[in-house]
Amino acid sequence: MAITLTNPTGLPETGVYRQVSVATGSKLVFVAGQVAWDRDGVTVGEGDLAAQVEQCYVNVATALAGVGATFDDVAKLNVHVVDWTPDKMPLLLEGIDRASARLGTTPASPATLLGVAALDVPEHMVEVEATAVID
């Protein structure tokens, strides 16, 4: 595995992600922002943030698998949520938990959560992009 995740002393520990990742691999993998589309381009979970988060993470895992990587190889995640407010955090976490259960892994890479005004189409509520490192 080319990624080591850590929480350095002096930074808070969260249950959702680690503060730092150290990459030692030789190939960078950039996964385009994944939205809540199924394989046919149909939006999953319209109006349901947790369902859309779950689908986004599953899509990231599918993209990673296509190049021989997994969430264990992810150095950084960026999560973009339309009209973000802190009261949406339980739904975001529920979606991550559901994706983790489906995938058999818990994505814990450093992550940035950004509130955005809109995404590609009105029914998309969240988009997740990843940067991974593999040998």
Side-chain angles (χ1 to χ4, degrees), residues 3 5 16-18 21 71 73-77 106-111:
I3 302 294
L5 302 177
V16 181
Y17 63 88
R18 303 302 175 273
S21 66
F71 267 105
D73 301 304
V74 173
K76 179 73 168 69
L77 290 168
T106 300
S109 308

Side-chain angles (χ1 to χ4, degrees), residues 75-93:
K76 179 73 168 69
L77 290 168
N78 289 322
V79 180
H80 308 264
V81 182
V82 174
D83 297 326
W84 174 258
T85 55
D87 63 306
K88 294 180 182 177
M89 184 62 80
L91 293 172
L92 179 78
L93 296 176

Side-chain angles (χ1 to χ4, degrees), residues 37-134:
W37 276 331
D38 66 13
R39 68 182 304 138
D40 298 317
V42 175
T43 298
V44 172
E46 190 168 340
D48 182 343
L49 180 60
Q52 288 203 12
V53 169
E54 177 184 4
Q55 186 65 44
C56 290
Y57 275 79
V58 168
N59 289 350
V60 169
T62 300
L64 290 167
V67 296
T70 70
F71 267 105
D72 289 338
D73 301 304
V74 173
K76 179 73 168 69
L77 290 168
N78 289 322
V79 180
H80 308 264
V81 182
V82 174
D83 297 326
W84 174 258
T85 55
D87 63 306
K88 294 180 182 177
M89 184 62 80
L91 293 172
L92 179 78
L93 296 176
E94 177 186 337
I96 294 170
D97 286 344
R98 288 168 32 182
S100 296
R102 279 179 65 182
L103 299 170
T105 187
T106 300
S109 308
T112 299
L113 173 60
L114 301 166
V116 297
L119 293 170
D120 58 330
V121 295
E123 58 269 17
H124 288 159
M125 304 168 73
V126 63
E127 184 169 325
V128 179
E129 61 180 300
T131 302
V133 180
I134 55 177

